[in-house]
Amino acid sequence: MTYVDARRSYLRRVAYLVCGDWHAAEDLVQTALIKLYAAWPRIHTDGAEDAYVRRIIVRAHLDEERRPWRRERIGLDGIDAAAPESLSLEDSDALVTALKALPQRQRATVVLRYWCGLSVEETADDLGCTTGTVKSQTARAMAGLRASLSTDDVTTTERRSR
């Protein structure tokens, strides 16, 4: 499928930003692609492949997080932290940590709005909620990110001055 070849890395990055784990991101993409395959004749004619797959990624992640056995974490946290090319390693780590600290819905909203570049309406459609919910979740998430990142900056600055 040419769509999968062309969009797989993009979908994997979206899934990573939604869930914060590269291995879980691979699973989310696989789940989304299986569902896309089943719906391909209907979706392909509308030209809404990306929106459909993003919606499946977000919903599949939220479904997985609701399962009680998923709450247990084994292994070492932070092993798969990725660094965006434009950020330093410290800034990237702080951003990923701050994203992981957000509630699931807020994280999904921030990823869809700012990383994927979707409008409020498109994000609401992908998440299956109203535009007002997207706006309020985005505002809360951005406030949380600002608070978390400004706290990290103060801590880092204090460490450097010692």
Side-chain angles (χ1 to χ4, degrees), residues 81-155:
E85 297 169 9
S86 61
L87 294 175
S88 69
L89 185 58
E90 295 82 18
D91 291 342
S92 173
D93 188 42
L95 181 59
V96 170
T97 302
L99 270 174
K100 285 181 181 180
L102 291 176
Q104 300 299 325
R105 192 74 158 189
Q106 290 179 14
R107 183 186 319 156
T109 304
V110 169
V111 169
L112 293 175
R113 286 279 291 128
Y114 297 106
W115 196 81
C116 294
L118 299 181
S119 69
V120 172
E121 292 78 18
E122 291 169 326
T123 303
D125 189 46
D126 279 7
L127 293 174
C129 63
T130 65
T131 57
T133 301
V134 170
K135 291 176 186 178
S136 66
Q137 291 292 313
T138 303
R140 288 181 187 133
M142 294 307 289
L145 287 174
R146 280 188 201 101
S148 177
L149 293 174
S150 66
T151 303
D152 290 345
D153 290 343
V154 170
T155 306

Side-chain angles (χ1 to χ4, degrees), residues 6-95:
R7 303 302 282 169
R8 185 175 189 86
S9 64
Y10 165 78
L11 296 173
R12 187 171 178 253
R13 287 189 306 264
V14 168
Y16 172 75
L17 290 172
V18 168
C19 70
D21 178 11
W22 284 113
H23 301 293
E26 282 289 335
D27 293 341
L28 289 173
V29 170
Q30 288 300 321
T31 300
L33 292 177
I34 289 168
K35 292 184 180 191
L36 176 67
Y37 179 77
W40 185 256
R42 178 176 43 92
I43 299 301
H44 183 62
T45 58
D46 294 341
E49 299 91 356
D50 282 344
Y52 183 80
V53 175
R54 281 191 310 265
R55 180 182 296 171
I56 295 302
I57 287 171
V58 169
R59 289 183 178 173
H61 173 65
L62 293 174
D63 287 346
E64 284 295 313
E65 288 298 315
R66 288 184 192 123
R67 296 185 179 156
W69 59 271
R70 279 291 194 186
R71 293 185 192 127
E72 295 180 17
R73 302 282 181 190
I74 58 173
L76 301 173
D77 287 336
I79 295 298
D80 294 327
E85 297 169 9
S86 61
L87 294 175
S88 69
L89 185 58
E90 295 82 18
D91 291 342
S92 173
D93 188 42
L95 181 59

